[in-house]
Amino acid sequence: MYFENTGLEDILVDFNLLQHVMGKHGLTKEGQWDYERVTFDRKFDVHEGRYYLRVFAYAVDGDIDAGDATVKIMKPAIGKYYYPFGVEYGEDEHFPEHLLKTSADILATIKSELKAFEIQV
């Protein structure tokens, strides 16, 4: 499920700053990056199962691996994890309300912290 109207979509920001802000809120990139794309994840183990809040971004300038990229944030998503298949984002999935609220609050906080550092074009 994608989060709509978070205000994060299309923000341009320095990759190192983004990584710092995401880390403050428990979202890490682990091995989910390459030279031009990155995914930040926060895992939630709740009574209803395991879920991942994901924020995707891609480099519009520079190189993520080198740490000198300017990245554009894409639409955040939440998905349910199924062993051994992976994360499903489908509309048929049930996402607990408390998890959706927590995720929306985290995204709003991230947005407010990044706003001052947004790169204008």
Side-chain angles (χ1 to χ4, degrees):
M1 177 183 123
Y2 287 94
F3 287 91
E4 302 291 337
N5 305 314
T6 64
L8 285 170
E9 301 87 353
D10 301 327
I11 285 180
L12 293 175
V13 67
D14 176 78
F15 173 70
N16 291 317
L17 174 68
L18 179 63
Q19 187 166 314
H20 173 74
V21 170
M22 292 295 187
K24 282 176 44 179
H25 299 286
L27 285 103
T28 59
K29 71 175 173 66
E30 301 301 326
Q32 301 178 139
W33 60 273
D34 61 21
Y35 299 103
E36 55 191 33
R37 293 173 295 180
V38 64
T39 301
F40 292 94
D41 282 350
R42 179 167 172 173
K43 178 172 67 172
F44 292 94
D45 284 320
V46 295
H47 176 73
E48 296 87 349
R50 178 171 287 172
Y51 297 85
Y52 286 91
L53 172 61
R54 291 196 158 160
V55 178
F56 308 97
Y58 66 93
V60 295
D61 185 40
D63 185 327
I64 288 175
D65 185 43
D68 65 356
T70 298
V71 295
K72 186 174 191 175
I73 301 173
M74 299 166 65
K75 195 180 295 188
I78 191 162
K80 184 170 184 179
Y81 177 76
Y82 291 97
Y83 177 84
F85 305 107
V87 179
E88 294 291 331
Y89 306 98
E91 296 298 321
D92 296 336
E93 297 298 328
H94 168 73
F95 298 101
E97 284 301 317
H98 64 90
L99 184 59
L100 294 176
K101 181 179 179 343
T102 299
S103 296
D105 291 347
I106 290 168
L107 295 172
T109 302
I110 290 169
K111 164 70 168 102
S112 69
E113 290 181 18
L114 290 177
K115 188 64 180 164
F117 301 99
E118 182 177 357
I119 297 170
Q120 302 295 324
V121 247

